[in-house]
Amino acid sequence: MAYIIYSAALIGLSYIIYRLFLSKETFYHLNRWVLVGLVLVSFCLPFISVPENISFKTTIFQPSADSKIQQTAISENNSTPIENTIPFSDSAPVTSTSESITDTIAPSIIALDWISILLYIYVLGVMAFGINFLIQLAVLIFRMIKYPSIEVDAYKIVETDTNHAPYSFWNRIFINPNQYDPDTYLQILKHEQMHIAGAHSLDMLLVELLVTIQWFNPFAWLYRKAIDNNLEYLTDDGMLKKGEDKEMYQMNLLKVSTPDMPTGLATSYNQSFLKKRIIMMNSKKSTAKSGWKYLIIIPLLALTVLSFNPVHMNPTTAENDAFYSDELETPSEEHFEESKFKNDYTRGSWDAELGGGKLCIMYRNAEPLKRSYWSITRCYDPTFFAGFPAGNKQNFEITRDAGTMLFTGEFENGLGDGRYTFTPNTNFSKALRDYGFSADNEELVHCFLTDFDETYLAYLKQENLSLDQDDFEDIIHKGLSLDKLKMYRKGLANLGYNDYTMNEVSKLNLFDVDLAYIKFINKVNGQQTSLKKITKAKIHNLSPEFIKSYSDNGYKKMSLEDYMKLKIHNVSPDFIADFKKEGYTDISAKQAQNLKIHNVTPEYVQAYKNAGFKNITLKEAQNLKIHNVTPAFIQSFQKMGYPNITLKEAKNLKIHNVTPSLVESYKKAGQKNISLKEAVKLKIHNVTPQLTTAAQQYSQSSSTNSSGKGYQKSQQTTPNDFIKQFKALGYDDVSVDDIISLKIHNVTPEFIKRYNDAGYKNIPLDEVVGLKIHNVTPEFINTFKKAGYKNISLDDAKSLKIHNVSSDYASEYAKMGYNNLSIDDLMSLKIHNVSPQFIKDFKKTRFGNLPLDDIISFKIHNVTPEFVKPFEDLGYSNISADQARSLKIHGVTPEFVKSLKDQDNDISLEQAIRIKIHF
C-alpha cells in the first residue's frame, strides 16, 4: 500500500511539474517523452534504496533531532530507519506478559484490518477500471470486424456508417466518409496518419493502464488528459510543418470537432480543448532558453528519492530485523527481558576530552554490534568532572533532578573513558507530567544531559510559557539550556522578535547562532530576517568576512538571498576577478553564479579566444558549455572547409548531433557545397546516408539481365545513400530543400520507379511530392486505364483522388449507358454529388430523358419532382425542363403564381417569371 501511495504522489508531482513549467512550451516531441518517461519513473523510483550517507531519512538518536553538527552527534552504523528501531523504553519491570502482549499487539491488529479494507477497495477499483479497459478494446475490435476497411500504404481506413468523430487506433482510422466534404476528409486522413506514424496508440495504452492502476488518484486522470492533449499539439504542429494552410486547417478542425467526450484508447477530435489547440498553433515557438525548465525535473525527483525512498540496509541488519520480526509473532517473557536490555539507553559507554575551555563528553551505545549504534555529545563547563577520582575504574556520581548518572572509568589529564549507568528520578517524571509533558527514560536521559530540572520548569511556569510536547522535546534533544533560553528570549525581544517558536530557538542554539550573528544578518538584509533564514545562513557559513570580500571588490548592494546563493555555489570574489582579467569588467554577481553552476571557467573562455573567437560573450560561453560545445568541436568543422563557422552554428550542430563525419557523408553523396545550416535541416528531418529498403527494392527491379547476373551486380553496386538513389533516377540537381521535402513526405526512389514503369517519365520532384501527399499511386491510375481512360494525366489523377472519384464510380455510369464521360465530367458529377443512384431515380420522373448536363443542372439548383408538382396542381401540366429550372432559379413559388392567377387566370409561367424578376 505504501508503494501505491508513493507512486501516486510521484505522478502528482510529475503532473504539477508539467503543468507549471512545460505545458506551454512548443517542444511537443520532447514533452511527449518527458510525460511518458515520468510515468515509468514514478513506478520505478520507489524500488530504489538510498545509501545511508546521502539519505535524508538516515536514522538519528531522536526523531526530532536535526543534525549531527555541533553539540549533538547521532549516528547509526547499520542505516536502519528510526521507524524500525525500538525506542527508549521505561525501565519499570514488566509485571504481566499477557498484559504486555495485549497492549503491543492489539493496536496492530486493528490497524491491519483498516489497511486490509482499503486494500480490498483498491483492488475492486482496479478490477472495475480494468474491465472498462477491456470493454474499450473489445469495442474497437468489434468495429474492425464489422465495418469494411480500405488498405492504404501502412494503415487501413475503417468506413463506418454511424455519426461520430473520426479517430485512429494502432494502424486503423475510423471515419464515416459521408459526414465530410472531400477536402476535409483528406485532411482528416492526413491528421490521423500522423497519429499512426507516431505510434501514439502506445501512449494512450500506457496512460489508460495508469488510470486503471491509480483510479483513486485525481492527478492520474489529469495526467491522461495532458498526454492526450500533447499528442494533438504534436500532430497539429506536424501538419503545419508539412505545409498545411494554417487557417484552412483550423477551419476544418471546427467542422470536425465534437462536443466534449472521453477519448479512451483512441486518438480523436474533441471540442473541449479546441481553443487551446488553436492558441498553441498560433503561439510563439519555444527557444533553447526554456531548456532550464526541463532540467528542473532532475533535482525535484532526486529530492523525493532522498527524502522518501527506503534506506539501504546491509545483510546483517536485514537478518536481525527478520529475527526480531519472528520473535514478535510469538512473544515470550525471555524475549521481553532481552529486548529490554537491548533498548535500555540508561546505560552505555562514555569518552571525555577537555579542550577549548570546555569538557565534551560523548555518550554512546555500549554494544554497537547489537541492533543499532547511537551516540550523542554534550559539552559542559570543566568543573563538571572536577571531583572525578584519579586512577582506573573509578566511580563518579552526578545527581540532577532528572536522575543520577554514575560514571565508571578513568579521567586524567583532560582525557577519559568508561561506562555509565543512569538511574531515573520517578518524582521528576511526575513533575513533568503535571506540567503536561510526557517523559519516559529516554526523555529523562535527555533532561539530565540538558540540565532540564525543577528550576527550568519553574521558569517556564513563571514566564507563563505555553509549551507542548514538541517544544519540550526540542529543548532537551537540542540541548537548549536554561541560561541559553533566557539569553535568547531577552536578546530576541530587544531585537524586535516577539513571534517565534521554541523549535526556532532550539535550532539557533543547535547551530551556535548568537545574537551578534542575528544582528549581522539583519544588517545585511536591511530589515528583520526570519530566524529560519538566519539559521540557514549560519549553516552555510555566511560570514562577515565573506560579505566584506564582495564589498571590497565593489559589490555593495546585494540581497541576503544573493549572498546565500553565492556562498552555496562557492562563488568567490577571486573567481569573478579571474574573469575581469579576461576583459569582462562588468560581470555581475548573478552572472558569476550562473557561470559557476555550469562550470564555465576563465580557462574555458580563453580556449575560445585562442580558437579565434575574440569577442565571445560570457552568455555565449555559458550556452556553449550547457550544450557541451568545445573549441575542438568547432575546429573540426573549420578543418573540413568551414572557416567562418559561428558560435551559434556550432551550438545548433551540437544540439542536433551533426558531426563532421556526417557532413562528409553528405558531401560524398553529391552535396558538395552543403552549408552547415542545410546539414542541420537534413539531420532534423532524419535524412541520413544509410541504405534503405527502397534502395534494395529499386536495385532488384532494375535488373537488366534475364539470367539474373545483372540483378546481382546492380544490387552490389547500388549506392548506399538516400541522395544517390534519386540521382540514379535522373535527378542530378537535387537541392537540400528537395531532399528534405522528399523525406518529410516519405517519397522513396521505389515510388518514382513505379511511375516510370507506368509510363510517366521525368516527373518533377515537387509534382512527385504532390502525388504522395494526396496518396495518388500508379495502381490508382491503372484502375482508370482499365476502365477506358487511356491518356490520363498526373494532374487529372490527382484531381480524381482529391475529389474521391474512383474507377468503380466511372464503371457504374458506363453500365447506365454513359460510356463517353470525360475525366472532367466525372469530377463535375462527384463535386455536385450526382451519384448513379440519383440518376436512376431521376430517370423515373417526367424529366427522365434529359441530357446529363441538364440533370447536373437540376441537381445544382435542387429542382425536384416535388418542386414541380404544386405548379401542375395549379393547371400548368406541360412544364418544360427549362421552365422548371427558371422557376427555381428566380425563386418563383406556387403561392406567388396563385396570387397572380387570382388577378389574371390566364397568366403564363413565363409571365410569372418576368414579373418576379422585375418586380
Side-chain angles (χ1 to χ4, degrees):
M1 184 62 84
Y3 168 76
I4 296 169
I5 294 172
Y6 186 14
S7 59
L10 286 173
I11 288 293
L13 175 63
S14 300
Y15 175 77
I16 291 170
I17 292 172
Y18 173 77
R19 188 72 180 82
L20 294 180
F21 298 103
L22 310 180
S23 60
K24 293 185 180 179
E25 300 301 324
T26 59
F27 300 127
Y28 305 121
H29 278 287
L30 181 57
N31 280 357
R32 180 190 181 189
W33 297 120
V34 167
L35 285 167
V36 171
L38 285 176
V39 172
L40 301 177
V41 166
S42 297
F43 283 100
C44 294
L45 274 187
F47 292 112
I48 298 175
S49 295
V50 181
E52 178 187 13
N53 60 328
I54 63 172
S55 174
F56 295 161
K57 287 178 63 177
T58 302
T59 304
I60 54 178
F61 184 68
Q62 284 298 327
S64 59
D66 288 72
S67 175
K68 294 187 286 186
I69 302 175
Q70 304 268 336
Q71 295 179 346
T72 304
I74 302 166
S75 64
E76 285 200 88
N77 290 342
N78 62 7
S79 303
T80 306
I82 192 69
E83 293 81 3
N84 294 335
T85 62
I86 301 177
F88 283 131
S89 62
D90 201 319
S91 60
V94 179
T95 58
S96 171
T97 302
S98 61
E99 182 181 351
S100 299
I101 294 172
T102 303
D103 292 343
T104 304
I105 298 178
S108 299
I109 296 174
I110 295 171
L112 180 61
D113 288 340
W114 278 108
I115 291 173
S116 299
I117 291 170
L118 291 175
L119 189 59
Y120 289 143
I121 293 173
Y122 168 73
V123 171
L124 287 174
V126 171
M127 291 175 62
F129 284 95
I131 292 171
N132 177 63
F133 175 77
L134 294 175
I135 290 173
Q136 290 185 67
L137 278 177
V139 169
L140 288 171
I141 294 171
F142 171 75
R143 290 176 178 172
M144 291 177 192
I145 297 172
K146 177 181 178 182
Y147 296 107
S149 62
I150 301 170
E151 188 167 350
V152 181
D153 292 341
Y155 66 96
K156 294 181 179 180
I157 303 173
V158 179
E159 294 189 340
T160 66
D161 55 8
T162 57
N163 292 328
H164 63 82
Y167 58 89
S168 62
F169 178 71
W170 214 251
N171 69 333
R172 285 172 168 79
I173 299 172
F174 297 81
I175 187 172
N176 182 349
N178 297 322
Q179 288 184 268
Y180 311 106
D181 59 69
D183 289 339
T184 305
Y185 178 80
L186 181 62
Q187 184 174 284
I188 292 170
L189 294 183
K190 287 192 230 175
H191 179 97
E192 298 303 332
Q193 274 182 271
M194 295 203 71
H195 280 305
I196 293 171
H200 294 175
S201 293
L202 293 176
D203 301 52
M204 300 307 296
L205 285 169
L206 174 66
V207 79
E208 197 68 22
L209 185 61
L210 169 65
V211 297
T212 299
I213 295 173
Q214 295 199 347
W215 56 269
F216 62 91
N217 184 4
F219 287 108
W221 298 92
L222 293 172
Y223 207 97
R224 178 172 79 165
K225 185 176 181 182
I227 285 185
D228 190 13
N229 290 359
N230 184 68
L231 291 178
E232 293 302 328
Y233 298 150
L234 176 59
T235 306
D236 292 340
D237 186 58
M239 291 290 289
L240 297 182
K241 284 181 179 178
K242 285 177 66 174
E244 289 290 329
D245 181 82
K246 184 185 294 185
E247 291 185 4
M248 184 62 68
Y249 179 68
Q250 292 172 356
M251 286 300 298
N252 282 336
L253 283 180
L254 290 170
K255 293 179 185 177
V256 184
S257 64
T258 61
D260 192 11
M261 61 180 66
T263 57
L265 292 176
T267 58
S268 74
Y269 293 77
N270 196 304
Q271 197 180 76
S272 63
F273 82 111
L274 181 58
K275 183 178 179 181
K276 292 182 182 178
R277 287 174 65 182
I278 294 175
I279 290 173
M280 292 300 284
M281 278 186 264
N282 295 320
S283 62
K284 185 179 179 182
K285 298 301 179 185
S286 300
T287 64
K289 293 180 180 179
S290 303
W292 68 269
K293 297 182 180 180
Y294 293 87
L295 296 177
I296 201 172
I297 297 171
I298 298 173
L300 288 176
L301 291 179
L303 182 63
T304 62
V305 170
L306 296 178
S307 300
F308 304 110
N309 275 45
V311 180
H312 177 69
M313 297 174 63
N314 59 41
T316 302
T317 302
E319 290 170 5
N320 288 342
D321 285 344
F323 172 75
Y324 284 106
S325 177
D326 291 341
E327 282 195 323
L328 287 175
E329 291 178 8
T330 55
S332 64
E333 186 170 351
E334 291 77 16
H335 162 71
F336 285 111
E337 289 297 327
E338 186 178 359
S339 294
K340 176 185 173 185
F341 173 77
K342 288 181 178 178
N343 295 283
D344 185 3
Y345 290 86
T346 60
R347 64 186 67 190
S349 300
W350 61 271
D351 297 276
E353 182 176 0
L354 182 63
K358 291 183 178 181
L359 173 68
C360 292
I361 304 175
M362 181 176 73
Y363 304 85
R364 57 186 170 80
N365 191 344
E367 298 174 288
L369 298 180
K370 297 292 183 70
R371 183 67 176 171
S372 62
Y373 177 81
W374 60 266
S375 67
I376 181 170
T377 299
R378 289 292 168 85
C379 295
Y380 309 95
D381 188 271
T383 58
F384 188 79
F385 268 2
F388 206 105
N392 190 19
K393 295 186 179 179
Q394 298 297 317
N395 292 332
F396 181 66
E397 190 174 272
I398 298 176
T399 299
R400 290 178 168 177
D401 289 349
T404 300
M405 186 77 75
L406 175 63
F407 295 89
T408 301
E410 180 182 7
F411 182 74
E412 289 185 345
N413 301 321
L415 291 174
D417 59 43
R419 297 208 171 213
Y420 74 85
T421 302
F422 177 75
T423 303
N425 181 359
T426 55
N427 290 329
F428 186 66
S429 295
K430 183 178 183 304
L432 290 172
R433 286 195 296 271
D434 291 343
Y435 193 86
F437 300 146
S438 172
D440 55 16
N441 285 353
E442 173 190 350
E443 274 70 39
L444 290 175
V445 169
H446 279 286
C447 285
F448 178 90
L449 298 178
T450 306
D451 199 12
F452 190 95
D453 53 14
E454 296 279 3
T455 305
Y456 212 128
L457 278 175
Y459 174 78
L460 298 179
K461 293 177 181 178
Q462 174 189 326
E463 296 296 316
N464 197 26
L465 297 178
S466 299
L467 304 184
D468 58 18
Q469 182 69 19
D470 289 337
D471 294 328
F472 167 60
E473 292 182 3
D474 277 329
I475 290 172
I476 62 175
H477 290 304
K478 296 182 176 67
L480 179 61
S481 67
L482 181 56
D483 291 339
K484 281 289 189 73
L485 176 59
K486 291 179 178 179
M487 182 271 289
Y488 278 122
R489 292 192 69 224
K490 181 179 178 181
L492 291 174
N494 291 335
L495 293 175
Y497 289 92
N498 300 312
D499 186 16
Y500 53 83
T501 66
M502 193 58 64
N503 178 268
E504 289 174 326
V505 176
S506 299
K507 285 185 177 179
L508 291 174
N509 177 63
L510 179 65
F511 295 105
D512 200 22
V513 180
D514 56 22
L515 297 174
Y517 190 79
I518 296 174
K519 292 179 183 178
F520 159 68
I521 294 298
N522 283 339
K523 183 178 179 182
V524 172
N525 201 29
Q527 59 183 353
Q528 188 181 83
T529 310
S530 70
L531 296 181
K532 184 177 180 180
K533 278 190 178 181
I534 294 172
T535 304
K536 183 180 177 182
K538 183 69 174 181
I539 291 171
H540 292 293
N541 196 25
L542 184 61
S543 63
E545 293 75 20
F546 179 79
I547 292 177
K548 186 175 183 301
S549 68
Y550 273 94
S551 298
D552 293 344
N553 282 274
Y555 298 94
K556 299 181 183 296
K557 295 182 179 179
M558 285 194 289
S559 67
L560 177 63
E561 291 296 329
D562 289 335
Y563 283 121
M564 287 285 291
K565 289 176 183 177
L566 291 168
K567 188 64 179 176
I568 289 170
H569 296 293
N570 195 28
V571 182
S572 66
D574 291 338
F575 178 76
I576 299 175
D578 290 339
F579 280 101
K580 288 186 175 181
K581 291 177 184 177
E582 294 294 331
Y584 302 98
T585 55
D586 58 346
I587 179 174
S588 67
K590 185 175 181 180
Q591 194 174 17
Q593 173 190 318
N594 290 331
L595 293 171
K596 189 72 173 181
I597 290 172
H598 297 292
N599 195 27
V600 179
T601 63
E603 293 75 19
Y604 179 77
V605 177
Q606 185 60 48
Y608 276 100
K609 289 186 175 182
N610 295 338
F613 298 96
K614 302 295 183 182
N615 298 319
I616 183 174
T617 66
L618 292 179
K619 186 176 181 180
E620 287 175 327
Q622 181 178 312
N623 285 331
L624 292 168
K625 188 68 175 180
I626 290 171
H627 296 290
N628 197 27
V629 182
T630 63
F633 177 77
I634 297 176
Q635 289 168 350
S636 64
F637 284 97
Q638 291 174 333
K639 290 177 182 178
M640 66 180 301
Y642 297 96
N644 299 319
I645 180 174
T646 65
L647 295 177
K648 184 176 180 181
E649 283 180 322
K651 184 177 71 175
N652 287 333
L653 290 167
K654 192 69 175 181
I655 290 172
H656 298 291
N657 196 26
V658 178
T659 62
S661 60
L662 180 63
V663 175
E664 186 62 34
S665 68
Y666 285 131
K667 289 188 173 185
K668 289 179 180 179
Q671 299 297 318
K672 302 294 184 183
N673 300 317
I674 186 173
S675 68
L676 294 179
K677 185 176 180 181
E678 290 173 329
V680 170
K681 288 172 67 177
L682 289 170
K683 190 67 168 66
I684 289 172
H685 295 290
N686 197 29
V687 181
T688 61
Q690 304 298 321
L691 182 63
T692 63
T693 304
Q696 293 177 350
Q697 293 173 343
Y698 169 59
S699 63
Q700 293 171 8
S701 64
S702 61
S703 173
T704 58
N705 192 310
S706 60
S707 66
K709 294 180 180 179
Y711 155 71
Q712 294 176 358
K713 182 178 179 181
S714 66
Q715 186 181 41
Q716 293 172 355
T717 60
T718 298
N720 63 338
D721 185 277
F722 182 80
I723 301 170
K724 287 184 178 179
Q725 295 158 23
F726 287 96
K727 288 184 178 293
L729 291 172
Y731 298 98
D732 295 325
D733 299 322
V734 184
S735 68
V736 170
D737 288 337
D738 286 335
I739 296 167
I740 292 171
S741 181
L742 292 168
K743 188 67 178 180
I744 289 173
H745 299 291
N746 195 27
V747 178
T748 63
E750 190 273 341
F751 181 74
I752 297 176
K753 180 65 170 58
R754 283 157 54 196
Y755 272 102
N756 291 344
D757 294 343
Y760 298 94
K761 309 289 186 180
N762 303 319
I763 311 172
L765 286 178
D766 59 346
E767 191 170 344
V768 175
V769 171
L771 293 169
K772 187 66 177 179
I773 289 172
H774 295 290
N775 197 27
V776 182
T777 63
E779 292 75 19
F780 174 76
I781 297 174
N782 285 335
T783 61
F784 279 92
K785 288 184 176 180
K786 290 177 182 179
Y789 298 90
K790 301 298 182 184
N791 298 318
I792 187 170
S793 69
L794 293 179
D795 285 339
D796 287 338
K798 187 163 61 175
S799 296
L800 289 167
K801 191 68 175 180
I802 289 172
H803 293 100
N804 197 26
V805 180
S806 66
S807 56
D808 291 339
Y809 184 76
S811 299
E812 288 187 51
Y813 281 105
K815 291 176 183 178
M816 296 172 60
Y818 299 100
N819 297 311
N820 298 317
L821 292 179
S822 66
I823 295 295
D824 289 339
D825 291 335
L826 288 174
M827 285 190 288
S828 179
L829 289 165
K830 189 68 175 180
I831 289 170
H832 296 105
N833 199 25
V834 178
S835 64
Q837 186 60 47
F838 174 83
I839 293 178
K840 289 178 183 178
D841 294 340
F842 192 87
K843 285 187 174 295
K844 296 176 183 178
T845 69
R846 57 174 294 185
F847 302 107
N849 295 322
L850 287 177
L852 195 58
D853 288 343
D854 287 336
I855 296 175
I856 293 173
S857 178
F858 265 56
K859 180 67 175 179
I860 291 172
H861 298 293
N862 195 24
V863 180
T864 64
E866 291 74 17
F867 172 76
V868 175
K869 189 175 185 308
F871 291 100
E872 292 176 333
D873 293 342
L874 289 174
Y876 301 97
S877 57
N878 297 316
I879 301 176
S880 67
D882 287 338
Q883 284 178 324
R885 192 164 43 235
S886 294
L887 290 169
K888 189 68 174 180
I889 290 172
H890 298 293
V892 179
T893 65
E895 292 75 16
F896 178 74
V897 175
K898 185 175 184 304
S899 65
L900 294 178
K901 285 181 68 69
D902 290 341
Q903 300 177 35
D904 182 359
N905 191 49
D906 296 327
I907 193 167
S908 66
L909 290 178
E910 286 78 6
Q911 290 173 321
I913 292 170
R914 286 197 296 271
I915 293 171
K916 185 68 175 177
I917 292 172
H918 296 290
F919 300 99

